[in-house]
Amino acid sequence: MKQLYILLLLSTYFQCSVYNMLFAQESAVDTIIQRLEQSKLAKGIDTSIFMNTMPWIERTKLDDAAIIQLDKAGNKFIQGKNEYWSYVLKASILNSLIAKDKDRALQYGKQQLSALEKSKTPNAAYIYSYFFKELRLPYRNSNMLNEGFTFYNEKLKAYKLKNDSIGLADCYYVLSGFYRVIGLVDQSIYNMKTSVSYMSVYENAVEQYGIFANPISEMIRLNNTSVIGLYYLQKEDFDQAIAYARVLLNDLIKNDPNGNLFSATIIAEAKLLAGELDSAKYYLDIFLNHKGSMEEKDFVAFTLQIKALYEIEKGALDDAEELLAQSRSIIDSFQIQAAARPGTVAPDYYNSLIRIKQGRLDEAIAFLKKDIERVKGQRLYEMRDYRLLSTLYEQTGNYKNANDAQKRYLILQDSLKADQSKFSSLSFELEQEMNEKELSIAKLESKSKIADLSRNFTIGIAVLLSILAGVIYHRFQSKKKANLLLEKTLVTLKSTQAHLIQSEKMASLGELTAGIAHEIQNPLNFMNNFSEVNKELLEEMKEELDKGNTPEAKTIADDVIKNEEKINHHGKRADAIVKGMLQHSRSSNGQNEPTDINALCDEYLRLSYHGLRAKEKSFNATMKTDFDNSIGNINIIPQDIGRVILNLINNAFYVVDEKKKSGIQNYEPTVSVSTNKINGKVEIRVADNGNGIPEKVLEKIFQPFFTTKPTGQGTGLGLSLSYDIIKAHGGELKVETREGERTTFIIQIPN
C-alpha cells in the first residue's frame, strides 16, 4: 500500500511538472506575440522592440503549435513582396530549435529553403545563404554528421552544374567545418580556401541586408580567411595561423573598429602555444577590452578559455579558475554547443589542467570525463582527452582504466587515419564527378567519340597485324583486304572528325548559353526588384499628394529617380552582355589574306591608346614596340586577329592604369607589343607591368563571362572570344604572369 502511495505521488508530481512546463511555454509565447504586436506600427515597424524580442524567441523551447503561432505573427510583417522582417523572426525560431530540438531544426530549416527558392523578396539569395549555413549546426552537434556530409555534397554537385558562386562558397564553407569536427584538418583548410576563392569583392556592392550578409562579400571573405588561421592552429603551424588571422584583424582595425576582433584571439592562442606569453596577453586584451567583440557570447566563452590557459601557464590558477567559471556561465546561459562558431568551447579540459597543477588528480579525471562527453564526435579533442586521461589513471595506479583509455585513444587514432585515406579518395572522386558533370552532353559525346576512335584504331591495328601475318599464304588477297580496310578506316576517321568538330561546337554553345543565363539574371533581377519598389513608392507618393504633403512626396520622388538610375545602369549591363554574346557567336565571313602583322599590331596599339585617351583625359602610359621585320606578310583574317590584338592591348592599358591609380611611387605604366618568328610560327607578345594575375583565377581567364573587372566595366567575353579566334586560326593563346609585377599574353599562329 505504501509503495502504491509513493507511485501515486510521483505520478502526480510528474503531471504537475509537465503542466507547469506547458504553461510556462504558452505564457512565454503569448508574451513574445504581444511584444511583436507592439512593434507593429501604423506606418512601419518599431525595430528596437522587434529586435529585442528575438533573443526571447531563441531562449524559448518551441513546440509545433508555438512555431505555427510565431510564423503567423511574423507573416504580419510582410510588406508586399518584401519578407525581410518575417525571415528575421524565422531565423530566431531556427536558432531556438538548433539549441533544443535538432531534428525539428533540420525540418524547419529545409522548409524555409524551399520557400526561399520561390520567394521574390529582395536579396533572397542572402537570406537563403543564412538558413543554408545555419543548418550545419544541428548536423554538426549531433550524431547526424554523415547525413550532413551527404546533404551538403549533393548540394555541392547541383551548384557546380549551375556555376552558382554563392552556393559553392557556402557548401565548401560548411564542409570545411564538418571535416574539422572529425579531425581532418587538411581537408578543412582545402575546403575553406576553396570557399574563399569563390568570393569576389566586386561581385555585388551590397555588403549587408539587415542581419543577412552578402555571402561572397569582402567582409565574409576576410572572416573565412581568418578561420583558415584557426585551422592552421590545430596543425600547430603557428606562423601560418598568425598570418591568416592578421589579414582580418588589420582590416577590422582600419575599416570596421566596431566589428568582432576574434582574429586577435586566434593570434593570441598561437603566441601562447609558441611560448610567447607577453604577446599572447597583448592580443587577448585586444579582444576582451573591445565592446563590439564582447557582444558575441560564443566568441567570448572561447576567448575566456584561452585567457585561462594563459593564467595557467603563468601559475595564476585561481584567476584561471574564475575565468573558466565565467566561460561556463556564458555557455549555460546562451546554450552554446561544443562545436561553436569560434571553435571548440569546452572549459572542463582547462579545469582538468588546473587540478593537475594542484595535484588533485581525481578531480582532474572527473573534469576530463565531463569534457569527453561534451566534445563527443570531435575526434581530435576526444583523442587529446583520452591520452591525458590514460596518463592520469596510470599516475593514480588505476592501470586497468589507464589501459582502457589508451585503447580508446588508439581506436580513435586508427579511425582518423582510415578517414584521412577515405575522405581524401572521396574528395578526389567527388571533384572528378563534379568536373565531369560540368561538361555539356555534347562534350561527353565528344569524349565518347574519341574513346570509340581509340578502340577502332586498336581493332584496326589488330586486323592489320592479322593481314600481315596471313600475307605468307594469301599475299594478293591480303593486300586487297588491307586496302579495303584502310579505305574503310579513312572514311571512319573523317566521319569521326566531323562529329568531333560538331560536338565541340555544341559544347561551346552549351557553356555559353549556361553562362548567359547565369550572368544576365543578376541585372534582370535588379531591374525587376527596383521596378517593383518604384511601383510601391509611386503609390505612396500619390497618397502623400492627396494629403497635400508635398515635401514628403518630393522625398519619395527623389527615391524613385535614384531607383530609375539603378534600373538604367543594370539595363546597360544586360545590354553589354547581350552585345558581347552576339559578338561571341558571330561567325566571320572574312577570307584569309596576306597581312603585314607588324603594321596591324602597330595600328591597333595606337588605336587602343588614343581611344582610351578620348574616354579619360588623365590616362597616360608608355608604349613600346619590337617588331621582327623578317616576318613579312602572313595569311590571316585581319579583322579577327585585329580584334584579338585590340582586346589584349585594351586589357593591358586598363591594368597599368589601375596600378597607377593605386598611388605607387615612381611607377611608370608601360605596355609593349612585339613580334617574332619561331619554329615556323609567328609569335605576338602583348606585355604590361601591371599587378599580374592571381594564381587562383589564372585557369579561369579564358572562360566565358569570367572577369576581374568591377561590375559594369567588363562582360568577361573578350578573352574567351580571343581564344576562340586564335584556335580557329590553328594557333594558341597563352599567358605568362608574375603576381604583383607583370603579365604577358602570347599569340602563336602558323606562318
Side-chain angles (χ1 to χ4, degrees):
M1 187 69 182
K2 185 177 180 181
Q3 289 178 334
L4 184 62
Y5 179 70
I6 291 171
L7 287 172
L8 183 61
L9 282 175
L10 288 172
S11 174
T12 305
Y13 173 77
F14 176 74
Q15 289 178 5
C16 289
S17 297
V18 171
Y19 291 143
N20 285 336
M21 287 172 60
L22 291 172
F23 178 76
Q25 184 194 55
E26 287 179 13
S27 176
V29 172
D30 289 342
T31 302
I32 290 167
I33 290 174
Q34 287 174 11
R35 287 183 60 83
L36 290 172
E37 289 173 352
Q38 289 172 14
S39 71
K40 188 82 171 69
L41 306 177
K43 285 189 177 180
I45 298 168
D46 186 325
T47 56
S48 177
I49 295 176
F50 186 93
M51 293 306 297
N52 286 334
T53 307
M54 296 305 103
W56 288 27
I57 296 174
E58 293 176 8
R59 288 196 291 267
T60 302
K61 186 172 183 179
L62 305 174
D63 59 16
D64 289 338
I67 293 169
I68 292 169
Q69 278 184 279
L70 290 172
D71 272 338
K72 284 183 179 178
N75 291 340
K76 295 178 182 178
F77 292 88
I78 296 174
Q79 301 168 329
K81 291 181 179 177
N82 190 331
E83 302 175 76
Y84 169 78
W85 293 106
S86 170
Y87 276 110
V88 171
L89 191 149
K90 291 175 189 292
S92 293
I93 293 173
L94 179 61
N95 288 333
S96 169
L97 295 174
I98 287 170
K100 302 174 185 68
D101 190 338
K102 293 175 177 56
D103 288 325
R104 191 175 275 147
L106 289 170
Q107 181 184 359
Y108 183 79
K110 289 177 182 179
Q111 286 173 358
Q112 304 316 311
L113 294 181
S114 297
L116 280 162
E117 286 174 351
K118 305 167 189 172
S119 174
K120 294 184 179 179
T121 189
N123 293 309
Y126 295 6
I127 304 173
Y128 185 98
S129 172
Y130 176 91
F131 280 87
F132 184 71
K133 287 187 288 191
E134 285 297 288
L135 283 182
R136 77 193 188 280
L137 298 174
Y139 281 125
R140 202 166 75 182
N141 289 297
S142 68
N143 59 357
M144 296 183 285
L145 194 58
N146 284 335
E147 290 91 331
F149 268 113
T150 301
F151 175 75
Y152 283 101
N153 274 320
E154 288 301 318
K155 289 290 186 182
L156 182 63
K157 293 177 189 177
Y159 290 135
K160 263 280 190 182
L161 289 174
K162 293 191 288 187
N163 196 26
D164 184 331
S165 297
I166 291 178
L168 289 168
D170 287 349
C171 282
Y172 282 116
Y173 167 81
V174 172
L175 290 170
S176 172
F178 284 178
Y179 283 120
R180 180 183 69 83
V181 168
I182 62 174
L184 302 181
V185 183
D186 287 331
Q187 282 86 344
S188 293
I189 292 171
Y190 166 77
N191 277 272
M192 188 61 79
K193 285 183 176 179
T194 307
S195 174
V196 169
S197 74
Y198 282 99
M199 299 176 184
S200 308
V201 299
Y202 51 83
E203 181 75 18
N204 199 310
V206 180
E207 286 275 328
Q208 193 85 14
Y209 182 54
I211 69 167
F212 305 112
N214 176 352
I216 53 175
S217 68
E218 172 70 348
M219 181 48 62
I220 299 297
R221 185 181 73 83
L222 290 170
N223 275 325
N224 289 3
T225 299
S226 74
V227 173
I228 296 172
L230 191 63
Y231 295 160
Y232 274 114
L233 198 57
Q234 288 189 276
K235 284 173 64 72
E236 298 185 0
D237 188 338
F238 304 133
D239 290 338
Q240 284 283 64
I242 291 168
Y244 276 95
R246 202 185 295 280
V247 172
L248 175 61
L249 183 62
N250 291 343
D251 183 84
L252 286 172
I253 291 172
K254 180 181 177 182
N255 299 317
D256 187 13
N258 296 319
N260 181 357
L261 302 183
F262 176 69
S263 46
T265 300
I266 298 174
I267 297 174
E269 187 175 2
K271 295 284 187 183
L272 183 58
L273 295 175
E276 301 175 29
L277 296 188
D278 291 340
S279 295
K281 183 178 185 304
Y282 169 76
Y283 284 103
L284 283 167
D285 288 344
I286 286 178
F287 179 91
L288 293 170
N289 295 330
H290 184 253
K291 183 180 177 182
S293 301
M294 296 300 285
E295 292 175 359
E296 304 281 354
K297 298 305 180 185
D298 47 353
F299 289 91
V300 175
F302 183 94
T303 303
L304 288 173
Q305 291 180 162
I306 308 306
K307 182 69 180 293
L309 181 60
Y310 163 78
E311 298 294 351
I312 292 170
E313 293 297 319
K314 274 179 54 188
L317 302 183
D318 290 341
D319 291 341
E321 196 165 353
E322 173 60 28
L323 289 165
L324 293 173
Q326 293 175 30
S327 177
R328 170 58 69 183
S329 176
I330 293 170
I331 291 168
D332 293 340
S333 297
F334 294 91
Q335 299 172 327
I336 297 169
Q337 304 290 322
R341 291 184 299 168
T344 299
V345 183
D348 288 327
Y349 169 76
Y350 300 96
N351 272 315
S352 73
L353 297 182
I354 294 173
R355 299 305 184 274
I356 292 169
K357 292 272 188 181
Q358 294 170 335
R360 297 151 66 182
L361 300 189
D362 288 339
E363 292 179 31
I365 289 171
F367 274 117
L368 275 177
K369 286 181 176 179
K370 286 174 62 180
D371 197 67
I372 288 170
E373 189 62 32
R374 178 165 173 81
V375 301
K376 193 171 184 179
Q378 298 191 62
R379 194 157 36 193
L380 288 180
Y381 294 95
E382 284 189 89
M383 289 170 64
R384 173 198 68 184
D385 288 355
Y386 275 115
R387 185 165 52 183
L388 181 56
L389 187 63
S390 176
T391 302
L392 293 178
Y393 275 131
E394 188 175 349
Q395 290 176 2
T396 57
N398 192 336
Y399 298 110
K400 180 182 180 301
N401 284 352
N403 189 49
D404 289 343
Q406 182 66 15
K407 281 182 181 177
R408 185 60 190 156
Y409 167 78
L410 292 173
I411 289 169
L412 288 167
Q413 188 180 55
D414 290 343
S415 71
L416 178 62
K417 289 178 181 177
D419 277 353
Q420 283 172 339
S421 174
K422 168 186 162 186
F423 281 106
S424 294
S425 172
L426 180 63
S427 296
F428 175 75
E429 290 171 5
L430 180 63
E431 288 292 329
Q432 266 197 328
E433 181 183 349
M434 289 189 297
N435 287 335
E436 288 169 2
K437 286 187 176 181
E438 272 189 294
L439 300 175
S440 63
I441 294 173
K443 182 74 79 175
L444 291 173
E445 288 176 352
S446 172
K447 288 185 176 181
S448 177
K449 290 291 184 183
I450 292 170
D452 289 343
L453 178 60
S454 299
R455 286 194 295 273
N456 288 342
F457 227 81
T458 304
I459 293 167
I461 290 169
V463 173
L464 284 171
L465 287 173
S466 299
I467 292 171
L468 289 172
V471 76
I472 299 170
Y473 304 102
H474 306 287
R475 186 172 182 178
F476 177 76
Q477 291 84 350
S478 296
K479 279 185 178 180
K480 191 174 181 180
K481 288 180 181 179
N483 288 336
L484 289 171
L485 181 62
L486 287 170
E487 286 176 13
K488 185 177 180 181
T489 303
L490 181 61
V491 171
T492 302
L493 282 170
K494 287 182 178 179
S495 174
T496 302
Q497 184 184 39
H499 281 298
L500 284 171
I501 292 169
Q502 182 61 24
S503 295
E504 288 292 334
K505 288 180 179 178
M506 292 303 295
S508 177
L509 178 61
E511 290 171 359
L512 185 62
T513 304
I516 293 161
H518 175 71
E519 287 298 316
I520 210 167
Q521 192 62 47
N522 285 334
L524 289 178
N525 282 342
F526 278 112
M527 292 165 68
N528 289 336
N529 289 339
F530 283 122
S531 297
E532 290 166 4
V533 171
N534 273 0
K535 181 181 177 183
E536 294 175 9
L537 287 173
L538 289 170
E539 288 174 357
E540 288 182 25
M541 188 168 72
K542 284 170 65 179
E543 292 176 8
E544 297 299 332
L545 288 171
D546 290 341
K547 296 175 186 175
N549 192 350
T550 305
E552 180 64 23
K554 287 182 177 180
T555 301
I556 295 171
D558 290 338
D559 290 339
V560 172
I561 292 169
K562 289 177 184 176
N563 287 347
E564 285 299 318
E565 290 172 354
K566 292 174 182 175
I567 291 170
N568 181 258
H569 168 78
H570 291 291
K572 289 179 178 177
R573 167 71 176 153
D575 181 59
I577 291 171
V578 172
K579 285 179 179 175
M581 172 198 73
L582 292 173
Q583 187 181 42
H584 200 289
S585 61
R586 187 185 301 132
S587 60
S588 172
N589 292 322
Q591 299 293 320
N592 280 351
E593 57 185 76
T595 303
D596 185 340
I597 195 65
N598 293 338
L600 191 70
C601 290
D602 189 62
E603 175 189 350
Y604 280 107
L605 175 62
R606 302 188 189 288
L607 178 65
S608 174
Y609 177 79
H610 292 297
L612 292 169
R613 286 275 292 170
K615 288 182 182 177
E616 188 176 347
K617 299 296 182 186
S618 62
F619 170 75
N620 204 356
T622 300
M623 296 183 291
K624 293 182 179 180
T625 58
D626 183 14
F627 297 140
D628 184 349
N629 293 322
S630 68
I631 295 175
N633 291 344
I634 60 173
N635 282 321
I636 56 171
I637 302 172
Q639 297 88 347
D640 286 356
I641 298 297
R643 189 190 304 173
V644 173
I645 294 168
L646 181 62
N647 179 66
L648 297 179
I649 294 172
N650 281 342
N651 288 346
F653 278 134
Y654 172 82
V655 296
V656 298
D657 190 44
E658 288 298 302
K659 186 171 182 178
K660 182 181 179 182
K661 288 176 181 177
S662 68
I664 299 174
Q665 291 185 349
N666 301 322
Y667 171 68
E668 182 181 351
T670 304
V671 173
S672 61
V673 181
S674 63
T675 59
N676 201 4
K677 184 188 286 187
I678 302 174
N679 298 326
K681 293 183 179 180
V682 173
E683 184 177 274
I684 306 165
R685 287 177 171 257
V686 178
D688 65 72
N689 63 342
N691 284 318
I693 303 171
E695 186 178 350
K696 65 182 180 181
V697 303
L698 194 57
E699 62 184 26
K700 304 177 186 176
I701 61 173
F702 295 120
Q703 294 177 5
F705 297 111
F706 180 80
T707 179
T708 58
K709 294 179 182 177
T711 301
Q713 293 190 27
T715 61
L717 288 166
L719 283 177
S720 171
L721 176 60
S722 298
Y723 184 86
D724 288 349
I725 290 172
I726 298 302
K727 189 177 178 183
H729 278 74
E732 288 184 276
L733 177 57
K734 301 184 288 186
V735 62
E736 295 175 353
T737 186
R738 180 174 292 174
E739 192 168 351
E741 295 183 18
R742 60 177 173 77
T743 299
T744 303
F745 280 90
I746 304 163
I747 302 170
Q748 290 182 338
I749 47 180
N751 188 1

